[in-house]
Amino acid sequence: MSETIKFTIDGKECQGTKGQLLVDAAADNGVYIPILCHMRDLIPAGSCRMCTVKVNGRNMAACTTPAEEGMAIENNTPEFLDIRKAIVEMLFVEGNHFCPACEKSGNCDLQALGYKYQMMVPRFPYAFERREIDATTPKIFLERNRCIFCKRCVRVIKDEEGRSIFAFKGRGTTLEINIDRKLAATMTDEMAQKAMDICPVGCILKKEIGFVTPIGQRKYDTMPIGSDIENNHQ
Amino acid sequence: MSKPIIATTSLAGCFGCHMAILDIDARILQLIDLVEFNKSPIDDIKTFTKECDIGIIEGGCCNSENIHVLKEFRKHCKILISLGECAIMGGLPALRNGIDVKECIEEAYLNGPTVGKNTERILPNDEELPMILDKVYPCHEIVKIDYYLPGCPPKADLIWAAVVALVTGDELNIPYELIKFD
């Protein structure tokens, strides 16, 4: 049987199951810890570090750290608000994120975190790297300018035999997301939609549809990211 | 006490941000009571005739003239505001960043599918024309910018709230809905 444990986040008493990932345990207690690479029920990648919290005085990624009895977690402190804002800013300058022309604008997690942390301008210089777009598959546009290398698509979107349709190629500065053309040709509309939905930015786009939801009704137009978690457990 | 003086300009922008300023609608009458305008497309004053308190910049820098105007603004304004995505990050003109300038010019004047007859293969190169820069620069990479108002265009309510707060010295509380990057 799973063991119930107690811990605190910013002083708030919380309950969870031993071994449960901190980010999920926090969400169950109505505390939002921002994530870009993690998704619930997925093996964590711990790559974006958006969820960095302080556990008993030490910086940890909340998506890879299991909850333990008596943990004292710092989440919404000025220190972490600034670290997270810096991460968002870094991701914005590293890719080419032209929000006004992006189909995902208003539904984009990265943009929503920019709003949450009131990013007015990144503190880092823009890289303006040239990245190629792959529009060769029937259902998907791969807009690499916007990829933040979260690896969600690689981990989630698989064909019937369990083969990943998306994959990374290269290392370091040459790293890029790719799509397997043969496997992509077998993708259904539902799979393409799912791939677009799990992409936290506007890198994976479903073809033949765009800008469907009017401005004002999109996911993050009026509701800050994470407010669903915070409002569900008051 | 004399009224604070505002100057505005559009660099590599589309004038959408200036249209957004006009979206304050009837509040423009209050604005006239609050501030005086100097160099700006709104009153068509072409050169600075006074030192200004607030300079509002639309658009990034894509050519030598933009840089010149931006530096003039820095010289004559106490506070500079980057208004809109283009001023903040280059915006749509910056889509050419990462592409060689030569390639861009040749696409526009020689090789593009919409290029008409240019049998003599003439590229614009008159000394009257400003020189195009290697890439489009956000304003804060050229001069110091004091405040940023994002949006494409920024919401009129955001511009109004920011300008009034600056002029009156009141605290600025911006509701979530007003800060958007699109």
Side-chain angles (χ1 to χ4, degrees):
Chain A
M1 225 189 85
S2 52
E3 190 186 327
T4 304
I5 52 156
K6 284 184 180 171
F7 55 95
T8 63
I9 302 178
D10 296 332
K12 181 187 168 170
E13 303 264 345
C14 299
Q15 275 197 2
T17 343
K18 189 177 163 62
Q20 191 183 14
L21 296 173
L22 272 188
V23 67
D24 297 338
D28 291 344
N29 285 276
V31 176
Y32 173 67
I33 298 176
I35 41 174
L36 280 172
C37 68
H38 185 60
M39 289 176 80
R40 197 177 265 245
D41 301 327
L42 215 59
I43 297 170
S47 60
C48 75
R49 313 316 270 189
M50 265 313 291
C51 65
T52 304
V53 290
K54 197 169 266 187
V55 182
N56 300 340
R58 192 174 169 188
N59 286 7
M60 310 283 271
C63 75
T64 57
T65 308
E68 299 276 355
E69 175 70 34
M71 277 180 164
I73 296 151
E74 289 176 36
N75 177 35
N76 278 329
T77 61
E79 180 191 354
F80 283 103
L81 296 183
D82 189 57
I83 286 177
R84 288 166 188 169
K85 193 177 180 186
I87 293 174
V88 172
E89 291 171 1
M90 248 187 273
L91 292 170
F92 262 93
V93 298
E94 250 187 50
N96 297 311
H97 298 274
F98 293 91
C99 292
C102 180
E103 296 87 330
K104 202 70 180 277
S105 188
N107 298 313
C108 167
D109 290 358
L110 178 66
Q111 186 192 53
L113 287 169
Y115 297 160
K116 185 177 172 71
Y117 298 116
Q118 297 212 326
M119 181 191 88
M120 302 306 240
V121 66
R123 68 194 78 175
F124 311 105
Y126 285 96
F128 290 124
E129 256 183 58
R130 187 170 183 171
R131 298 195 195 159
E132 300 301 325
I133 297 168
D134 187 340
T136 54
T137 59
K139 303 254 190 245
I140 298 280
F141 283 117
L142 206 56
E143 224 305 7
R144 293 197 184 96
N145 288 295
R146 302 165 185 160
C147 183
I148 58 166
F149 308 104
C150 68
K151 231 176 175 179
R152 276 188 188 180
C153 55
V154 179
R155 292 179 288 160
V156 175
I157 307 299
K158 310 212 169 185
D159 76 346
E160 285 171 352
E161 293 173 36
R163 292 175 292 189
S164 289
I165 293 175
F166 297 88
F168 278 177
K169 185 180 137 195
R171 293 181 78 83
T173 52
T174 64
L175 182 69
E176 64 174 24
I177 188 72
N178 270 280
I179 184 163
D180 185 306
R181 286 186 196 156
K182 262 191 202 155
L183 296 185
T186 67
M187 279 177 101
T188 61
D189 279 334
E190 290 72 33
M191 280 167 84
Q193 186 62 50
K194 191 177 175 193
M196 180 171 172
D197 291 343
I198 60 154
C199 180
V201 288
C203 174
I204 298 175
L205 302 169
K206 189 167 177 277
K207 279 187 178 176
E208 296 178 3
I209 194 161
F211 303 105
V212 189
T213 319
I215 292 175
Q217 294 171 27
R218 300 167 305 181
K219 204 168 165 191
Y220 301 121
D221 278 341
T222 54
M223 292 269 285
I225 189 167
S227 51
D228 49 341
I229 290 176
E230 284 162 358
N231 296 338
N232 269 346
H233 296 263
Q234 278 184 351
Chain B
M1 208 180 90
S2 59
K3 289 194 275 186
I5 306 169
I6 291 188
T8 76
T9 189
S10 178
L11 306 176
C14 69
F15 267 92
C17 295
H18 272 79
M19 298 304 289
I21 296 175
L22 297 180
D23 277 344
I24 61 171
D25 298 329
R27 285 173 288 187
I28 201 160
L29 299 172
Q30 283 170 262
L31 186 66
I32 296 306
D33 287 337
L34 273 177
V35 300
E36 175 188 332
F37 275 83
N38 200 261
K39 177 178 162 60
S40 169
I42 289 174
D43 55 15
D44 210 22
I45 297 179
K46 311 277 191 206
T47 50
F48 282 102
T49 56
K50 284 178 181 175
E51 294 304 292
C52 298
D53 297 288
I54 303 170
I56 297 178
I57 315 285
E58 167 188 342
C61 294
C62 79
N63 63 33
S64 54
E65 200 246 352
N66 296 152
I67 303 258
H68 172 75
V69 173
L70 183 57
K71 285 186 170 168
E72 282 289 292
F73 265 73
R74 186 66 275 181
K75 211 158 99 189
H76 294 287
C77 303
K78 287 182 195 148
I79 292 169
L80 280 193
I81 303 176
S82 271
L83 182 69
E85 288 301 304
C86 297
I88 291 173
M89 60 84 63
L92 294 200
L95 282 170
R96 78 165 163 94
N97 291 7
I99 301 172
D100 192 46
V101 177
K102 186 166 183 275
E103 198 184 332
C104 282
I105 301 247
E106 287 180 353
E107 178 73 9
Y109 295 100
L110 300 178
N111 309 327
T114 57
V115 176
K117 260 192 189 162
N118 187 3
T119 44
E120 291 169 62
R121 299 178 68 80
I122 298 168
L123 297 176
N125 187 26
D126 191 290
E127 61 181 30
E128 289 288 313
L129 295 174
M131 284 297 282
I132 196 162
L133 303 178
D134 62 332
K135 64 175 186 182
V136 179
Y137 290 85
C139 292
H140 64 274
E141 291 187 11
I142 305 293
V143 299
K144 180 181 186 295
I145 299 288
D146 301 286
Y147 298 104
Y148 302 86
L149 297 175
C152 183
K155 308 256 184 296
D157 288 343
L158 176 67
I159 302 171
W160 175 252
V163 169
V164 170
L166 259 183
V167 169
T168 60
D170 291 343
E171 199 183 328
L172 178 61
N173 285 313
I174 309 170
Y176 174 81
E177 288 80 6
L178 289 190
I179 297 180
K180 291 286 177 291
F181 303 154
D182 62 358

